[in-house]
Amino acid sequence: MSTLKSTLYQLCLTFIQNRIENIEYSLQQARQASNDDTKSSAGDKYETTREMMQQEMDRNNKLLYEAGQQKIALQQIENVESDQVVKNGSVVLTSEGNFYISISAGELNTGGQKFFAVSQASPIGKVLIGKAKNESFKFNGKEYTVKEIL
């Protein structure tokens, strides 16, 4: 794996690990709030608060599951080799921006360059998959040319 691709992979891994930690913290806070409220509430207020806390925990559990799936997806592309066409795990340099086809992690900065970590299921990811070097395409009204695939 190239140094650039390795760096982008590590940035995405850090992004998803931080996300998991934040969700786990939110779950812990919701559980604590629910337990604290149980000790001091009675009647309808208790039931309403408890239901709100349960909904919050359910939402966070769903987010945690999705983040875990993203981490698995990321780990599957850790050692993807360069190819002649864009695939999951490719770093794509285009005339209008640089992309890392991995997980949706937003903007990543390394070595003074800006990259966008996008999933292959994202709108731009779907367009990029299968493109070859020097191939052009339009996306959101802009003309892109693939300059390099790493």
Side-chain angles (χ1 to χ4, degrees):
M1 187 187 300
S2 73
T3 303
L4 175 60
K5 194 182 282 190
S6 180
T7 300
L8 292 171
Y9 175 85
Q10 288 302 317
L11 289 170
C12 284
L13 188 59
T14 299
F15 169 84
I16 200 67
Q17 286 172 330
N18 287 340
R19 186 164 179 231
I20 289 169
E21 287 173 13
N22 289 337
I23 295 167
E24 286 173 341
Y25 179 76
S26 294
L27 268 169
Q28 179 185 8
Q29 294 299 323
R31 279 190 205 105
Q32 185 65 42
S34 178
N35 290 340
D36 289 348
D37 191 60
T38 300
K39 296 173 187 171
S40 63
S41 295
D44 290 342
K45 179 183 171 211
Y46 165 76
E47 291 301 325
T48 302
T49 303
R50 189 159 176 83
E51 178 59 28
M52 287 173 49
M53 288 301 135
Q54 186 59 49
Q55 287 177 5
E56 181 69 15
M57 287 189 294
D58 290 346
R59 186 181 71 76
N60 280 321
N61 277 323
K62 182 180 179 199
L63 291 173
L64 187 60
Y65 173 79
E66 291 170 357
Q69 294 300 307
Q70 281 188 310
K71 187 173 182 179
I72 290 168
L74 185 62
Q75 289 169 336
Q76 290 174 346
I77 64 166
E78 182 175 8
N79 295 313
V80 169
E81 295 296 322
S82 294
D83 202 344
Q84 300 298 313
V85 296
V86 177
K87 62 183 180 183
N88 204 16
S90 295
V91 174
V92 187
L93 309 179
T94 74
S95 58
E96 295 296 321
N98 304 318
F99 301 91
Y100 179 41
I101 312 299
S102 55
I103 62 169
S104 294
E107 186 178 313
L108 306 173
N109 292 293
T110 182
Q113 288 186 292
K114 186 186 326 183
F115 292 84
F116 293 96
V118 298
S119 77
Q120 65 181 354
S122 69
I124 188 75
K126 287 178 183 176
V127 173
L128 283 167
I129 294 293
K131 296 290 186 249
K133 186 175 179 179
N134 297 322
E135 197 169 338
S136 295
F137 61 93
K138 276 193 173 190
F139 182 76
N140 281 349
K142 282 187 180 178
E143 184 77 27
Y144 291 75
T145 302
V146 176
K147 295 193 292 188
E148 199 168 342
I149 302 168
L150 307 173

